[in-house]
């Protein structure tokens, strides 16, 4: 598809050199489209945050290129970079660390408006702040004058979403946005992200280790292991008919109240797990297409 | 049910404030049988960790256990123990695994020295004896014993968590309290660890108090489950009943807040 807002094209990122080289990302390709979400799923250390950081221009890829609306990043001019910064916004994992404790919520939302939307001036600024808070279902009268410590984790994450929306982005990169929230508020935040995606036609890169929530927000899914995307395709397809052994392993380990640990039929054998990990970690260029749009690396 | 191993009766704990006290645990009673896995579920702030701390008397001011509360372990009231008896009771009778337990290892000591520390103080073992016991325990949690000369940073998070569990079990405790033991780990590692603990408790017969907010995981692992809401134990039943026929409205709501892997697709 060429209508991608943001695309990674066979991007590789390595850290260190010589014998201690770490391949954090190997030949990663994916694209983000308006009104669609891609879930990047994998365990800690699989390279998903490295991908997010490259998408955010925080890391330079070692090889490969990142395309913004079809144009490569390499050699982009200052005004293009500024446009990019407005167009791609991020929501961080930790709702406690990502807001400045010394400033009010209103301040957090005014800043991106002043920076990215200079045509909004004077009394319009506070009106837009109110609008943004209403959008994320927070009461502006109550929340705008407050400081971050006066809000709950879920409320703070909503403020983070509002702050990302303030720049009128086209793509939002959300790195584990609910993993630090209480179970009872997780769904609310996921629903909100889903609504934003549809209403504002946003492209969403949803990074998570929880494959069950991926189904909830994302049309497409990519499963990462050891720096490689091992399987990708439409979310329902991949979850219901996984091909790659690592995807199967990941799915079988998701807590499922219908599967008791006592049951020998569903026991995960540690030696099998080790074998799958070893096989999945080896670089593999060959890819098989299981059904239209559903791909996996062969083993 | 046979004679319970742990019997918590009318446990009430307040956090003492300058003006008002906060009741974190409100008149909670439950039993854990020998060899049983009992789960406490609830959202953050419902008092489940406060109970875990109280059972091993690790609670600190401003937490105050109110009069009338009783925590009986094998017939002895934990709240009456003097300091010497308490030191003896911890690890030997009740061991604890915390959420970030992998960070509770001493970073400047080799794994074998951390075993030796516990085994010397509680069992008076020599270095050679401790090494032998450490090798035995590490094997139980699928870690090659020859790695006991390594330092904690040379292991992954999941391995460190397993080492902590191995140290916990080195003294054959009767009860292991696990407060969100696998929350910081990914699902595959989580499954491996809990599956192992389940096998070990069958083999050695210890009981487990398992605390988590993940109801699905709890039903997989526990025999019985208690649901906590704002300091109160609102429902207590067999794991299957909590899953299939939850009675309390809050239990139903807690179930509804989990996205299901096989449930409805994106609309």
């Amino acid at each position: 598809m060429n209508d991608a807002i943001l695309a990674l094209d066979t991007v590789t990122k390595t850290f260190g050199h010589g014998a201690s080289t770490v391949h954090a990302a190997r030949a990663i390709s994916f694209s983000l489209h308006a009104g669609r979400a891609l879930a990047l799923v994998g365990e800690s250390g699989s390279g998903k945050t490295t991908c997010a950081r490259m998408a955010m221009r925080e890391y330079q890829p070692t090889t490969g290129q990142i395309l913004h609306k079809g144009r490569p990043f390499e050699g982009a001019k200052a005004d293009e970079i500024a446009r990019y910064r407005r167009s791609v916004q991020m929501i961080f994992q930790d709702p406690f660390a990502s807001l400045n404790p010394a400033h009010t919520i209103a301040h957090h939302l005014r800043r991106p408006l002043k920076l990215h939307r200079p045509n909004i001036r004077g009394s319009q600024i506070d009106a837009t702040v109110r609008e943004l808070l209403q959008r994320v279902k927070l009461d502006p009268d109550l929340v705008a004058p407050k400081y971050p410590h006066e809000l709950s984790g879920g409320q703070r994450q909503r403020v983070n979403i509002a702050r990302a929306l303030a720049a009128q982005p086209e793509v939002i990169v959300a790195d584990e946005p609910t993993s630090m929230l209480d179970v009872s508020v997780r769904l609310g935040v996921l629903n909100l992200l889903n609504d934003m995606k549809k209403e504002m036609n946003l492209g969403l890169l949803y990074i998570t280790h929880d494959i069950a929530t991926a189904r909830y927000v994302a049309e497409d899914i990519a499963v990462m292991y050891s720096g490689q995307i091992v399987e990708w395709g439409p979310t329902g397809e991949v979850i219901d008919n996984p091909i790659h052994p690592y995807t199967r392993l990941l799915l079988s380990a998701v807590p499922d109240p219908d599967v008791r640990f006592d049951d020998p039929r569903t026991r995960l054998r540690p030696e099998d797990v080790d074998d799958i990990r070893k096989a999945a970690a080896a670089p593999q260029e060959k890819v098989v297409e299981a059904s239209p749009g559903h791909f996996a690396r062969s083993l | 049910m046979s004679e319970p191993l742990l019997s918590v009766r009318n446990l009430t704990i307040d956090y003492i404030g300058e003006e008002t006290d906060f009741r974190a645990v409100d008149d909670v009673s439950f039993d854990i049988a020998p060899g049983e896995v009992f789960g406490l579920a609830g959202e953050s702030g419902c008092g489940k960790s406060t109970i875990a701390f109280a059972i091993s008397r690790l609670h600190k001011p401003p937490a105050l256990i109110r009069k009338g509360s009783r925590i009986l372990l094998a017939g002895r009231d934990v709240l009456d123990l003097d300091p010497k008896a308490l030191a003896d009771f911890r690890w030997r009778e009740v061991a604890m695994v915390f959420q970030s337990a992998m960070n509770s290892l001493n970073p400047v000591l080799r794994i074998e020295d951390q075993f030796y520390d516990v085994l010397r103080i509680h069992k008076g073992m020599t270095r050679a004896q401790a090494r032998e016991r450490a090798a035995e325990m590490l094997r139980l949690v699928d870690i090659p014993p020859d790695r006991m000369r390594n330092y904690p940073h040379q292991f992954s998070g999941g391995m460190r968590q397993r080492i902590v569990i191995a140290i916990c079990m080195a003294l054959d405790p009767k009860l292991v309290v696990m407060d969100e033991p696998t929350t910081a780990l990914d699902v595959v590692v989580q499954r491996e660890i809990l599956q192992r603990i389940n096998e070990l408790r069958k083999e050695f017969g210890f009981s487990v108090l398992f605390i988590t907010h993940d109801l699905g995981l709890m039903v997989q692992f526990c025999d019985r489950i208690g649901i906590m809401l704002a300091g109160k134990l609102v429902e207590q039943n067999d794991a299957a009943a909590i899953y299939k026929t939850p009675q309390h409205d809050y239990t139903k709501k807690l179930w509804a807040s989990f996205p299901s892997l096989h449930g409805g697709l994106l609309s």
Side-chain angles (χ1 to χ4, degrees):
Chain A
M1 280 185 263
N2 8 342
D3 59 338
I5 306 169
L6 186 68
L8 271 67
D9 181 16
T10 40
V11 164
T12 301
K13 178 76 189 171
T14 55
F15 294 101
H17 28 196
S20 58
T21 305
V22 175
H23 294 266
R26 289 180 202 266
I28 300 288
S29 298
F30 61 75
S31 46
L32 299 173
H33 303 269
R36 283 182 82 81
L38 170 70
L40 201 55
V41 183
E43 60 180 46
S44 40
S46 60
K48 48 195 199 306
T49 298
T50 300
C51 289
R53 292 197 169 161
M54 287 193 292
M56 294 307 299
R57 281 181 60 93
E58 213 176 305
Y59 289 158
Q60 283 288 336
T62 311
T63 64
Q65 55 182 358
I66 296 175
L67 303 161
H68 183 218
K69 296 182 183 164
R71 295 163 66 94
F73 251 180
E74 210 67 39
K77 290 193 192 70
D79 62 325
E80 275 181 277
I81 292 174
R83 270 205 299 281
Y84 177 81
R85 292 232 160 96
R86 186 183 70 79
S87 161
V88 183
Q89 288 290 316
M90 182 146 186
I91 297 164
F92 296 93
Q93 178 172 15
D94 190 342
F96 301 86
S98 52
L99 295 173
N100 187 333
H103 288 293
T104 62
I105 301 307
H107 175 90
H108 282 89
L109 298 177
R110 276 187 217 120
R111 300 265 300 185
L113 290 177
K114 285 181 181 159
L115 194 64
H116 292 295
R117 292 164 73 182
N119 53 333
I120 297 181
R121 280 193 215 98
S123 63
Q124 275 181 304
I125 293 181
D126 279 342
T128 315
V129 166
R130 291 182 65 85
E131 215 175 277
L132 285 165
L133 285 171
Q134 274 160 353
R135 229 190 173 138
V136 295
K137 302 191 175 71
L138 290 174
D139 183 344
D141 296 318
L142 230 58
V143 172
K146 284 200 170 160
Y147 287 88
H149 74 268
E150 298 174 279
L151 302 181
S152 71
Q155 287 174 317
R156 271 184 264 202
Q157 208 55 316
R158 284 171 193 270
V159 171
N160 273 322
I161 295 173
R163 177 171 61 178
L165 294 176
Q168 288 191 315
E170 294 164 289
V171 167
I172 286 189
V173 176
D175 190 358
E176 304 262 19
T178 60
S179 68
M180 293 186 68
L181 301 181
D182 216 39
V183 274
S184 51
V185 296
R186 260 180 216 183
L187 274 195
V189 170
L190 290 178
N191 282 333
L192 181 65
L193 280 174
N194 219 351
D195 294 345
M196 299 291 115
K197 175 189 77 185
K198 282 186 226 153
E199 284 165 24
M200 304 170 74
N201 210 25
L202 286 169
L204 178 67
L205 178 62
Y206 173 64
I207 295 178
T208 183
H209 66 269
D210 185 357
I211 197 166
T213 60
R215 186 163 200 150
Y216 216 79
V217 285
E219 286 83 2
D220 301 303
I221 190 169
V223 180
M224 273 193 93
Y225 184 74
S226 188
Q228 272 184 128
I229 295 179
V230 295
E231 183 162 0
W232 64 101
T235 308
E237 257 299 298
V238 172
I239 289 180
D240 293 333
N241 305 305
I243 305 168
H244 197 279
Y246 180 74
T247 315
R248 289 193 187 154
L249 174 66
L250 193 62
L251 285 166
S252 71
V254 171
D256 178 352
D258 287 315
V259 176
R260 289 274 306 176
F261 288 167
D262 294 339
D263 191 341
R265 285 168 302 173
T266 51
R267 182 175 177 268
L268 276 190
R269 294 175 28 160
E271 39 303 3
D272 295 347
V273 173
D274 286 345
D275 288 348
I276 293 172
R277 286 209 178 104
K278 257 190 217 115
Q284 172 59 258
E285 277 170 32
K286 210 169 147 233
V287 168
V288 288
E289 182 166 17
S291 60
H294 177 189
F295 299 88
R297 286 187 197 274
S298 61
L299 273 183
Chain B
M1 199 163 81
S2 57
E3 191 68 17
L5 170 74
L6 177 77
S7 188
V8 173
R9 285 286 166 272
N10 313 103
L11 182 62
T12 300
I13 305 175
D14 285 340
Y15 285 100
I16 306 299
E18 218 158 286
E19 277 147 30
T20 53
D21 299 343
F22 177 75
R23 184 141 292 186
V25 179
D26 193 357
D27 198 19
V28 166
S29 299
F30 62 89
D31 289 332
I32 304 181
E36 184 181 45
V37 182
F38 182 75
L40 273 183
E43 55 192 297
S44 3
C46 71
K48 53 193 197 303
S49 296
T50 305
I51 293 179
F53 277 100
I55 287 172
S56 37
R57 288 258 308 262
L58 285 169
H59 64 286
K60 287 194 193 114
L64 181 73
I65 299 183
R66 291 292 179 187
K67 273 211 182 75
S69 306
R70 296 209 303 160
I71 300 173
L72 299 167
L73 191 98
R76 250 192 332 166
D77 197 330
V78 177
L79 301 176
D80 292 339
L81 298 176
D82 59 48
K84 176 151 186 333
L86 185 65
D88 209 40
F89 155 87
R90 287 184 187 146
W91 290 101
R92 240 178 215 272
E93 307 212 13
V94 174
M96 274 192 86
V97 180
F98 298 103
Q99 177 169 3
S100 49
M102 58 263 214
N103 302 325
S104 61
L105 291 168
N106 187 333
V108 298
L109 287 185
R110 295 178 198 276
I111 300 305
E112 64 170 12
D113 293 331
Q114 316 214 14
F115 272 96
Y116 178 54
D117 201 28
V118 175
L119 293 168
R120 180 177 51 94
I121 289 170
H122 287 276
K123 287 254 167 104
M125 280 192 185
T126 62
R127 227 165 218 294
Q129 286 172 322
R131 202 169 288 143
E132 201 175 303
R133 181 73 174 153
E136 192 186 329
M137 299 321 290
L138 287 175
R139 241 177 263 125
L140 284 180
V141 293
D142 305 311
I143 290 175
D146 53 354
R147 294 205 57 190
M148 73 169 99
R149 301 273 304 152
N150 289 152
Y151 290 93
H153 75 269
Q154 292 169 291
F155 296 90
S156 70
M159 289 175 104
R160 267 180 278 165
Q161 190 72 299
R162 278 183 280 166
I163 292 168
V164 172
I165 291 166
I167 296 176
C168 270
M169 293 192 322
L171 293 172
D172 280 324
K174 297 185 182 118
L175 174 71
V176 180
V177 177
M178 299 190 166
D179 188 0
E180 307 254 8
T182 51
T183 305
L185 305 171
D186 66 86
V187 287
V188 179
V189 178
Q190 164 174 288
R191 174 68 171 275
E192 283 181 292
I193 290 178
L194 293 180
Q195 213 175 256
R196 199 81 187 108
I197 293 171
N198 194 40
E199 288 160 5
L200 292 172
R201 68 123 172 171
K202 294 242 153 98
E203 198 179 332
F204 297 100
F206 56 85
S207 308
V208 179
L209 172 63
F210 182 63
I211 294 174
T212 181
H213 59 262
D214 190 335
L215 266 185
L217 184 67
M218 196 158 252
V219 171
Q220 290 188 286
F221 183 36
C222 296
D223 301 314
R224 283 188 313 120
I225 293 172
I227 306 287
M228 287 198 67
L229 170 64
K232 288 196 171 72
L233 197 59
V234 293
E235 184 170 359
Q236 195 182 159
N237 214 334
D238 289 340
I242 290 283
Y243 175 39
K244 302 277 187 200
T245 51
Q247 300 297 312
H248 199 276
D249 271 350
Y250 180 70
T251 313
K252 292 175 195 166
K253 275 190 201 149
L254 213 50
W255 273 116
S257 68
F258 283 96
S260 160
L261 187 58
H262 306 289
L265 260 181
L266 200 55
S267 51

